[in-house]
C-alpha cells in the first residue's frame, strides 16, 4: 500500500540508556513517468500529490508547454511502485519522441539522465520584474512554512516547496523526500490551479542548486527564498534569469545573492506610497 508515512519499530540509545519505541518515517516509492505508452523517467519520491508531480515534472522538464498539453493523466498503483501514465497532444508527443530517455533516478535527483552538459546547464527562462517585497514579508513567509509541513512534523525527514503571494499568503505547499520532487509538485499544483506566479515567491526548505533555479524560472516566480546556501552556478543562473535569489533565511534575516532591487525596506515603501 502506497502511503506517505509508515510507522517503524526501533531501538533507541541515548544518554547511556537503551529503550525501544516506534517512529514515523516517510515512504519512498519508485515513480515512473510515462508518456504515450513509453517510460521517460523513474524517480524515487513520496507517494502523495502525484498528479501535481506529474504535471510539474512535465512542465519543468519542457516535455509540455502547459498543463493543457496533457490529454489524460492516470495514477496506476502497482505492487512495486506507481506509474504516472500520461497521454499528450500531438505537439507534446513529437517533443517526447525526440527527447525520450529511460532514467533510474535516486531520491532528489534533479537532472538524472541528461544526455549532454549543455542540457544540464541550459539557460533558465527569464522572469518578469514583478513587484517588490519587504524583509518583514520574506521572514514572515518563511516562518509560515513549518506549521503546514504535515509529513515533516511527523517524520523530520522531508523537504517542502511553497508558493507565497501578497494577497493569499502561502497558497500552495508540497512535500517530498526529494527537494526537486517537492518543487515539481508545487509547479504542478500552480499549473493545475492556473495560478499566476509572477507576483509571488517560491520558498524552499533545502539548499539551492542550479536545477532548482531552472524550475523556479519555469514556474515564473521572480523571487526564491531558501533556508540553505546556493551553489555558485545557481547564483549565476539566477542572475541571468532575472530571479532574486535569497538564501540562508533565518528568523533574524537572510542573504541576497542576485537582483536585490526587489527587496525594499518597509520605510522605503511607505515613503513611496505617500509620494
Amino acid at each position: 500500500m502506497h502511503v506517505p508515512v509508515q510507522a517503524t519499530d526501533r531501538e533507541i540509545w541515548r544518554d547511556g540508556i537503551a529503550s525501544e519505541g516506534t517512529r514515523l518515517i516517510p515512504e519512498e516509492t519508485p515513480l515512473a513517468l510515462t508518456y504515450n505508452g513509453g517510460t521517460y523517467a523513474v524517480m524515487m519520491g513520496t507517494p502523495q500529490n502525484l498528479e501535481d508531480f506529474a504535471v510539474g515534472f512535465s512542465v519543468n522538464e519542457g516535455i509540455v508547454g502547459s498543463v493543457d498539453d496533457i490529454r489524460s493523466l492516470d495514477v496506476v498503483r502497482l505492487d512495486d511502485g506507481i506509474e504516472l501514465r500520461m497521454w499528450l497532444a500531438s505537439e507534446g508527443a513529437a517533443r517526447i519522441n525526440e527527447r525520450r530517455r529511460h532514467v533510474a533516478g535516486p531520491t532528489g535527483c534533479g537532472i538524472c539522465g541528461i544526455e549532454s552538459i549543455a542540457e544540464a546547464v541550459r539557460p533558465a527562462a527569464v522572469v518578469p520584474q514583478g513587484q517588490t517585497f519587504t524583509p518583514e514579508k520574506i521572514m514572515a513567509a518563511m516562518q509560515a512554512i513549518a506549521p503546514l509541513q504535515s509529513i515533516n512534523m511527523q517524520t523530520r525527514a522531508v523537504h517542502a516547496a511553497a508558493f507565497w503571494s501578497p494577497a493569499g499568503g502561502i497558497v500552495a505547499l508540497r512535500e517530498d523526500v526529494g527537494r526537486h520532487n517537492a518543487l515539481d509538485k508545487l509547479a504542478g499544483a500552480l499549473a493545475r490551479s492556473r495560478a499566476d506566479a509572477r507576483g509571488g515567491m517560491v520558498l524552499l526548505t533545502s539548499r539551492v542548486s542550479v536545477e532548482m533555479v531552472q524550475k523556479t524560472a519555469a514556474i515564473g516566480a521572480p523571487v526564491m527564498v531558501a533556508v540553505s546556501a546556493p551553489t555558485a552556478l545557481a547564483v549565476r543562473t539566477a542572475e541571468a534569469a532575472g530571479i532574486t535569489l535569497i538564501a540562508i533565511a533565518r528568523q533574524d534575516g537572510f542573504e541576497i545573492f542576485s537582483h536585490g532591487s526587489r527587496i525594499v525596506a518597509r520605510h522605503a515603501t511607505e515613503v513611496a506610497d505617500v509620494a
Side-chain angles (χ1 to χ4, degrees):
M1 184 176 181
H2 303 289
V3 295
V5 176
Q6 298 276 3
T8 184
D9 295 329
R10 59 184 176 141
E11 296 181 10
I12 306 166
W13 184 271
R14 294 190 188 280
D15 298 323
I17 300 174
S19 62
E20 296 181 351
T22 60
R23 171 177 284 276
L24 294 174
I25 56 176
E27 187 55 79
E28 186 177 25
T29 303
L31 306 174
L33 296 113
T34 69
Y35 300 92
N36 294 4
T39 300
Y40 182 85
V42 180
M43 311 295 289
M44 300 301 297
T46 301
Q48 187 181 54
N49 302 122
L50 296 180
E51 292 87 352
D52 291 339
F53 176 57
V55 172
F57 180 92
S58 301
V59 173
N60 286 343
E61 285 282 303
I63 296 167
V64 298
S66 73
V67 64
D68 295 327
D69 293 335
I70 301 175
R71 286 185 172 175
S72 67
L73 166 59
D74 296 310
V75 177
V76 182
R77 298 179 182 272
L78 309 172
D79 290 339
D80 54 356
I82 301 174
E83 182 179 337
L84 307 179
R85 188 175 297 168
M86 287 166 277
W87 292 90
L88 307 181
S90 57
E91 182 178 342
R95 187 182 298 116
I96 197 65
N97 287 335
E98 293 176 0
R99 298 187 55 194
R100 186 178 305 282
R101 63 180 185 262
H102 295 269
V103 182
T107 298
C109 180
I111 51 175
C112 305
I114 292 295
E115 296 173 345
S116 71
I117 292 175
E119 190 176 356
V121 296
R122 68 187 186 278
V126 178
V127 302
Q129 175 60 31
Q131 66 180 66
T132 59
F133 302 86
T134 65
E136 291 79 12
K137 286 183 178 178
I138 291 169
M139 289 185 286
M142 290 300 289
Q143 291 174 29
I145 293 178
L148 302 177
Q149 288 185 258
S150 59
I151 297 178
N152 197 57
M153 284 192 289
Q154 298 177 75
T155 66
R156 303 299 179 191
V158 297
H159 296 290
F163 182 76
W164 181 94
S165 74
I170 293 183
V171 298
L173 181 145
R174 294 294 183 267
E175 296 178 277
D176 199 277
V177 290
R179 57 197 172 93
H180 310 95
N181 295 348
L183 188 51
D184 280 335
K185 287 180 178 180
L186 176 65
L190 297 175
R192 296 175 72 204
S193 65
R194 312 289 177 172
D196 186 352
R198 293 175 294 180
M201 300 184 290
V202 166
L203 313 176
L204 305 171
T205 63
S206 62
R207 69 182 178 86
V208 182
S209 52
V210 62
E211 60 272 26
M212 302 295 275
V213 177
Q214 292 167 337
K215 292 176 187 293
T216 298
I219 290 171
V223 178
M224 61 188 305
V225 188
V227 299
S228 298
T231 66
L233 181 56
V235 173
R236 293 194 296 270
T237 303
E239 184 67 39
I243 291 176
T244 298
L245 172 53
I246 298 171
I248 317 177
R250 303 288 187 267
Q251 291 184 350
D252 61 343
F254 49 80
E255 299 179 19
I256 305 172
F257 290 84
S258 64
H259 295 282
S261 61
R262 290 192 182 95
I263 312 307
V264 181
R266 178 163 38 183
H267 68 271
T269 59
E270 292 170 350
V271 170
D273 290 341
V274 172

